[in-house]
């Protein structure tokens, strides 16, 4: 889905008076009843709409040979997690994978979404980079400087935590809110002093510009990625059944990608047009692996959410646990 198509659809739906599909489902912070599963014949008629970032999940499934499901998958590409979750909440997309921070901003905005599975990856590619000739050498040197970041992205969380580590806050720097494509231009032209980014953008900017890492998520970030579903999809028997299968396929593909990294890198390059020189280091840095969606994940996510509230980057406190749905954990337990 091109972003303008989603926005047009959202405007049309809102002008009609309500997001009808969402209105029939519980609001985001209420439990969603688990509907009965549908049979194979009805499942074949399902069209599961999945949001993706830079071909991430799509190429992951394809490289593992798991892209042919017993239902249709309609892929939509987004530049980062926050707009993806807007689409999920609006029932324009059924589910999608995002980093550790977008679900927090969605929860603060009371979006109709639930985290249904989680994986953990490396935190070294969740980095803050500067140009290779930049005079900046330490995080402390960022005081008063301009940092490009996508609001509500995992990179936003990485900035917050790295600043807190040295006793600084977002008020001590100038956050320039940009999506990756615009941020790259601003970074290359010198309009910003640093860029908070993640893979594959991280590997791409290092390859193309020789960007230097100022700091990353080591020792501060939890490395979580979440599969997020809309409450409307979870309440619908057919889509809920497809989501159960999709979550398992994704977990299987993550395990496969760890054992077959060259295949993963090739599929990622083919699906996105990125050079293999970008997808190879992004893959070798360490793929995400499924972990239980348990109390520790909720605790760590709540801790990050509270840090955003304290920094006044998120306007209100909330319980992250209210935006978690563990219904698929029994099927996923075999991959943890």
């Amino acid at each position: 889905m091109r972003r303008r198509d989603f926005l047009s659809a959202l405007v049309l739906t809102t002008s009609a008076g309500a997001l009808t599909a969402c209105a029939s489902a519980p609001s985001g912070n209420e439990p969603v009843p688990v509907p009965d599963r549908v049979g194979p014949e009805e499942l074949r008629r399902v069209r599961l709409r999945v949001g993706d970032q830079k071909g991430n999940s799509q190429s992951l499934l394809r490289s593992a040979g798991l892209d042919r499901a017993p239902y249709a998958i309609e892929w939509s590409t987004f530049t980062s997690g926050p707009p993806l979750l807007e689409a999920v909440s609006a029932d324009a997309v059924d589910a999608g994978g995002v980093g550790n921070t977008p679900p927090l901003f969605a929860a603060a905005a009371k979006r109709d979404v639930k985290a249904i599975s989680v994986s953990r990856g490396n935190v070294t590619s969740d980095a803050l980079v500067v140009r290779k000739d930049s005079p900046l050498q330490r995080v402390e040197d960022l005081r008063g400087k301009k940092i490009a970041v996508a609001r509500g992205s995992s990179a936003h969380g990485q900035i917050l935590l790295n600043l807190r580590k040295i006793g600084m806050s977002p008020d001590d720097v100038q956050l320039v809110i940009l999506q990756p494509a615009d941020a790259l231009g601003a970074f290359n032209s010198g309009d910003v002093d640093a860029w908070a980014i993640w893979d594959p953008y991280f590997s791409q900017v290092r390859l193309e510009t020789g960007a230097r890492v100022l700091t990353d998520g080591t020792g501060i970030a939890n490395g979580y990625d979440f599969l997020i579903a809309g409450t409307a999809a979870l309440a619908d028997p057919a889509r809920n059944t497809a989501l159960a299968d999709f979550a398992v396929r994704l977990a299987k593909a993550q395990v496969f990608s760890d054992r077959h990294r060259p295949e993963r890198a090739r599929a990622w390059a083919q699906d996105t047009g990125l050079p293999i020189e970008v997808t190879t280091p992004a893959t070798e840095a360490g793929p995400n692996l499924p972990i239980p969606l348990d109390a520790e994940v909720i605790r760590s996510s709540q801790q990050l959410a509270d840090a955003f509230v304290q920094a006044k980057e998120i306007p209100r406190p909330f319980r992250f646990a209210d935006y978690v749905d563990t219904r698929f954990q029994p099927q996923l337990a075999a991959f943890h």
Side-chain angles (χ1 to χ4, degrees), residues 5-41:
D5 294 335
F6 163 63
L7 291 174
S8 298
L10 184 57
V11 168
L12 289 172
T13 309
T14 304
S15 65
L19 295 172
T20 307
C22 288
S24 63
S27 62
N29 64 341
E30 296 174 353
V32 181
V34 181
D36 293 334
R37 298 287 180 89
V38 302
E41 184 175 345

Side-chain angles (χ1 to χ4, degrees), residues 282-295:
T283 301
E284 287 300 326
N288 282 26
L289 290 173
I291 61 173
L293 185 53
D294 59 12

Side-chain angles (χ1 to χ4, degrees), residues 226-291:
F226 291 95
L227 178 60
I228 306 293
T231 55
L234 289 168
D236 177 74
R239 285 188 285 171
N240 180 72
T241 303
L243 281 169
D245 177 85
F246 182 81
V248 169
R249 284 174 183 273
L250 194 61
K252 285 182 179 178
Q254 287 169 336
V255 172
F256 179 91
S257 71
D258 187 37
R259 299 170 180 169
H260 302 82
R261 297 186 183 189
E263 292 94 324
R264 164 72 178 123
R266 285 195 295 271
W268 204 353
Q270 290 167 4
D271 282 358
T272 62
L274 288 168
I276 193 71
E277 293 83 5
V278 169
T279 59
T280 295
T283 301
E284 287 300 326
N288 282 26
L289 290 173
I291 61 173

Side-chain angles (χ1 to χ4, degrees), residues 42-126:
E42 189 171 351
L43 184 60
R44 281 194 292 271
R45 295 196 291 268
V46 172
R47 178 174 56 92
L48 190 68
R49 303 163 300 169
V50 181
D52 202 10
Q53 297 184 59
K54 274 284 189 180
N56 190 9
S57 297
Q58 185 174 9
S59 63
L60 191 67
L61 292 180
R62 192 166 69 81
S63 65
L66 294 167
D67 52 327
R68 296 178 66 86
Y71 46 87
I73 301 177
E74 180 182 291
W75 296 97
S76 302
T77 301
F78 295 81
T79 57
S80 67
L84 192 162
L85 291 192
E86 289 178 24
V88 173
S89 179
D91 198 28
V93 172
D94 296 315
V98 298
N100 62 354
T101 302
L104 308 183
F105 278 74
K110 300 182 180 181
R111 302 286 189 193
D112 293 317
V113 299
K114 299 285 186 182
I116 60 172
S117 70
V118 62
S119 58
R120 181 165 50 211
N122 82 85
V123 296
T124 57
S125 57
D126 202 358

